[in-house]
Amino acid sequence: MSDLTTIARPYAKAAYGYASDNGAVEKWSEMLAFAKEMSAAKELKAAALSYSQRN
């Protein structure tokens, strides 16, 4: 899991920097919360796994 954290850190910093520079931290937070909810949806997990197995 620490590898995923290490990989994600620069992207998270860049996203936060962009949001902060553009006065959109709250909007980005809302979008990330929505993405988190969608990633937990069983139907989307199944579709993603099916797609990755075909490609």
Side-chain angles (χ1 to χ4, degrees), residues 3-30:
D3 290 340
L4 293 177
T5 301
T6 302
I7 292 168
R9 185 173 289 118
Y11 297 102
K13 286 183 176 184
Y16 179 79
Y18 177 85
S20 181
D21 291 348
N22 291 281
V25 172
E26 186 175 339
K27 186 64 175 171
W28 272 80
S29 180
E30 291 170 5

